[in-house]
mmCIF file of all heavy atoms in Angstrom:
data_model
loop_
_atom_site.group_PDB
_atom_site.id
_atom_site.type_symbol
_atom_site.label_atom_id
_atom_site.label_comp_id
_atom_site.label_asym_id
_atom_site.label_seq_id
_atom_site.Cartn_x
_atom_site.Cartn_y
_atom_site.Cartn_z
ATOM 1 N N ILE A 632 -0.759 -15.442 7.435
ATOM 2 C CA ILE A 632 -1.398 -14.196 6.946
ATOM 3 C C ILE A 632 -1.858 -14.375 5.478
ATOM 4 O O ILE A 632 -2.275 -13.388 4.786
ATOM 5 C CB ILE A 632 -0.597 -12.952 7.098
ATOM 6 C CG1 ILE A 632 0.744 -13.048 6.370
ATOM 7 C CG2 ILE A 632 -0.454 -12.623 8.590
ATOM 8 C CD1 ILE A 632 1.611 -11.756 6.449
ATOM 9 N N TRP A 633 -1.651 -15.630 4.851
ATOM 10 C CA TRP A 633 -2.149 -15.913 3.518
ATOM 11 C C TRP A 633 -3.583 -16.443 3.788
ATOM 12 O O TRP A 633 -3.754 -17.612 4.180
ATOM 13 C CB TRP A 633 -1.254 -16.904 2.807
ATOM 14 C CG TRP A 633 -1.625 -17.173 1.360
ATOM 15 C CD1 TRP A 633 -2.270 -18.257 0.868
ATOM 16 C CD2 TRP A 633 -1.434 -16.240 0.249
ATOM 17 N NE1 TRP A 633 -2.402 -18.095 -0.414
ATOM 18 C CE2 TRP A 633 -1.966 -16.854 -0.892
ATOM 19 C CE3 TRP A 633 -0.969 -14.962 0.139
ATOM 20 C CZ2 TRP A 633 -1.924 -16.322 -2.180
ATOM 21 C CZ3 TRP A 633 -0.925 -14.374 -1.100
ATOM 22 C CH2 TRP A 633 -1.425 -15.039 -2.190
ATOM 23 N N VAL A 634 -4.567 -15.616 3.518
ATOM 24 C CA VAL A 634 -5.947 -15.931 4.040
ATOM 25 C C VAL A 634 -6.959 -15.734 2.885
ATOM 26 O O VAL A 634 -6.724 -15.090 1.815
ATOM 27 C CB VAL A 634 -6.377 -14.968 5.182
ATOM 28 C CG1 VAL A 634 -5.452 -15.119 6.385
ATOM 29 C CG2 VAL A 634 -6.394 -13.513 4.761
ATOM 30 N N GLU A 635 -7.999 -16.418 3.058
ATOM 31 C CA GLU A 635 -9.193 -16.239 2.066
ATOM 32 C C GLU A 635 -9.820 -14.895 2.361
ATOM 33 O O GLU A 635 -10.083 -14.502 3.445
ATOM 34 C CB GLU A 635 -10.178 -17.374 2.299
ATOM 35 C CG GLU A 635 -11.236 -17.346 1.229
ATOM 36 C CD GLU A 635 -12.233 -18.473 1.381
ATOM 37 O OE1 GLU A 635 -12.882 -18.631 2.403
ATOM 38 O OE2 GLU A 635 -12.355 -19.262 0.363
ATOM 39 N N LYS A 636 -10.069 -14.219 1.208
ATOM 40 C CA LYS A 636 -10.670 -12.885 1.198
ATOM 41 C C LYS A 636 -11.849 -12.937 0.249
ATOM 42 O O LYS A 636 -12.086 -13.977 -0.493
ATOM 43 C CB LYS A 636 -9.658 -11.832 0.679
ATOM 44 C CG LYS A 636 -8.439 -11.710 1.600
ATOM 45 C CD LYS A 636 -7.515 -10.609 0.954
ATOM 46 C CE LYS A 636 -6.589 -10.029 1.923
ATOM 47 N NZ LYS A 636 -6.008 -8.879 1.402
ATOM 48 N N SER A 637 -12.656 -11.899 0.327
ATOM 49 C CA SER A 637 -13.818 -11.838 -0.516
ATOM 50 C C SER A 637 -13.955 -10.379 -0.936
ATOM 51 O O SER A 637 -13.817 -9.471 -0.144
ATOM 52 C CB SER A 637 -15.036 -12.291 0.262
ATOM 53 O OG SER A 637 -16.232 -12.199 -0.591
ATOM 54 N N MET A 638 -14.181 -10.182 -2.305
ATOM 55 C CA MET A 638 -14.447 -8.900 -2.792
ATOM 56 C C MET A 638 -15.528 -9.042 -3.860
ATOM 57 O O MET A 638 -15.388 -9.762 -4.762
ATOM 58 C CB MET A 638 -13.223 -8.296 -3.373
ATOM 59 C CG MET A 638 -13.413 -6.877 -3.960
ATOM 60 S SD MET A 638 -12.030 -6.090 -4.693
ATOM 61 C CE MET A 638 -10.959 -5.889 -3.330
ATOM 62 N N TYR A 639 -16.692 -8.292 -3.592
ATOM 63 C CA TYR A 639 -17.796 -8.315 -4.599
ATOM 64 C C TYR A 639 -18.286 -9.696 -4.705
ATOM 65 O O TYR A 639 -18.698 -10.106 -5.939
ATOM 66 C CB TYR A 639 -17.424 -7.588 -5.939
ATOM 67 C CG TYR A 639 -16.787 -6.248 -5.808
ATOM 68 C CD1 TYR A 639 -15.576 -5.908 -6.201
ATOM 69 C CD2 TYR A 639 -17.670 -5.256 -5.254
ATOM 70 C CE1 TYR A 639 -15.078 -4.673 -6.071
ATOM 71 C CE2 TYR A 639 -17.159 -3.942 -5.214
ATOM 72 C CZ TYR A 639 -15.927 -3.640 -5.542
ATOM 73 O OH TYR A 639 -15.357 -2.386 -5.412
ATOM 74 N N GLY A 640 -18.343 -10.459 -3.739
ATOM 75 C CA GLY A 640 -18.843 -11.810 -3.761
ATOM 76 C C GLY A 640 -17.840 -12.871 -4.239
ATOM 77 O O GLY A 640 -18.152 -13.992 -4.289
ATOM 78 N N ARG A 641 -16.726 -12.470 -4.705
ATOM 79 C CA ARG A 641 -15.684 -13.333 -5.225
ATOM 80 C C ARG A 641 -14.702 -13.621 -4.184
ATOM 81 O O ARG A 641 -14.217 -12.832 -3.557
ATOM 82 C CB ARG A 641 -14.964 -12.726 -6.441
ATOM 83 C CG ARG A 641 -13.991 -13.627 -7.207
ATOM 84 C CD ARG A 641 -13.415 -12.885 -8.346
ATOM 85 N NE ARG A 641 -11.996 -12.982 -8.451
ATOM 86 C CZ ARG A 641 -10.993 -12.320 -7.902
ATOM 87 N NH1 ARG A 641 -11.259 -11.293 -7.178
ATOM 88 N NH2 ARG A 641 -9.777 -12.669 -8.032
ATOM 89 N N LYS A 642 -14.433 -14.980 -3.971
ATOM 90 C CA LYS A 642 -13.485 -15.381 -2.934
ATOM 91 C C LYS A 642 -12.120 -15.602 -3.661
ATOM 92 O O LYS A 642 -12.084 -16.173 -4.735
ATOM 93 C CB LYS A 642 -13.939 -16.701 -2.267
ATOM 94 C CG LYS A 642 -15.183 -16.355 -1.389
ATOM 95 C CD LYS A 642 -15.469 -17.586 -0.542
ATOM 96 C CE LYS A 642 -16.749 -17.323 0.233
ATOM 97 N NZ LYS A 642 -16.612 -16.496 1.395
ATOM 98 N N TYR A 643 -11.065 -15.326 -3.028
ATOM 99 C CA TYR A 643 -9.685 -15.456 -3.402
ATOM 100 C C TYR A 643 -8.722 -15.473 -2.240
ATOM 101 O O TYR A 643 -9.193 -15.146 -1.122
ATOM 102 C CB TYR A 643 -9.285 -14.383 -4.466
ATOM 103 C CG TYR A 643 -9.271 -13.030 -3.735
ATOM 104 C CD1 TYR A 643 -8.071 -12.424 -3.340
ATOM 105 C CD2 TYR A 643 -10.465 -12.284 -3.576
ATOM 106 C CE1 TYR A 643 -8.112 -11.258 -2.779
ATOM 107 C CE2 TYR A 643 -10.368 -11.049 -2.996
ATOM 108 C CZ TYR A 643 -9.248 -10.517 -2.540
ATOM 109 O OH TYR A 643 -9.245 -9.240 -1.915
ATOM 110 N N PHE A 644 -7.518 -15.942 -2.467
ATOM 111 C CA PHE A 644 -6.563 -15.837 -1.354
ATOM 112 C C PHE A 644 -5.579 -14.692 -1.541
ATOM 113 O O PHE A 644 -5.205 -14.306 -2.669
ATOM 114 C CB PHE A 644 -5.690 -17.100 -1.317
ATOM 115 C CG PHE A 644 -6.496 -18.231 -0.508
ATOM 116 C CD1 PHE A 644 -7.345 -18.966 -1.251
ATOM 117 C CD2 PHE A 644 -6.217 -18.415 0.774
ATOM 118 C CE1 PHE A 644 -8.058 -19.974 -0.504
ATOM 119 C CE2 PHE A 644 -6.901 -19.430 1.537
ATOM 120 C CZ PHE A 644 -7.846 -20.243 0.769
ATOM 121 N N GLY A 645 -5.268 -14.025 -0.492
ATOM 122 C CA GLY A 645 -4.305 -12.885 -0.510
ATOM 123 C C GLY A 645 -3.693 -12.661 0.859
ATOM 124 O O GLY A 645 -3.968 -13.374 1.906
ATOM 125 N N VAL A 646 -2.825 -11.742 0.949
ATOM 126 C CA VAL A 646 -2.133 -11.351 2.252
ATOM 127 C C VAL A 646 -3.050 -10.474 3.126
ATOM 128 O O VAL A 646 -3.663 -9.434 2.626
ATOM 129 C CB VAL A 646 -0.858 -10.600 1.884
ATOM 130 C CG1 VAL A 646 -0.201 -10.136 3.226
ATOM 131 C CG2 VAL A 646 0.066 -11.493 1.137
ATOM 132 N N GLU A 647 -3.185 -10.821 4.356
ATOM 133 C CA GLU A 647 -3.841 -9.992 5.340
ATOM 134 C C GLU A 647 -2.766 -8.982 5.760
ATOM 135 O O GLU A 647 -1.643 -9.250 6.220
ATOM 136 C CB GLU A 647 -4.283 -10.851 6.533
ATOM 137 C CG GLU A 647 -4.843 -9.992 7.671
ATOM 138 C CD GLU A 647 -5.205 -10.867 8.970
ATOM 139 O OE1 GLU A 647 -4.372 -11.729 9.261
ATOM 140 O OE2 GLU A 647 -6.170 -10.483 9.508
#
Side-chain angles (χ1 to χ4, degrees):
I632 59 171
W633 187 253
V634 299
E635 185 175 58
K636 296 178 159 193
S637 180
M638 182 182 292
Y639 305 116
R641 186 178 135 269
K642 294 192 182 278
Y643 64 98
F644 278 85
V646 176
E647 176 185 38

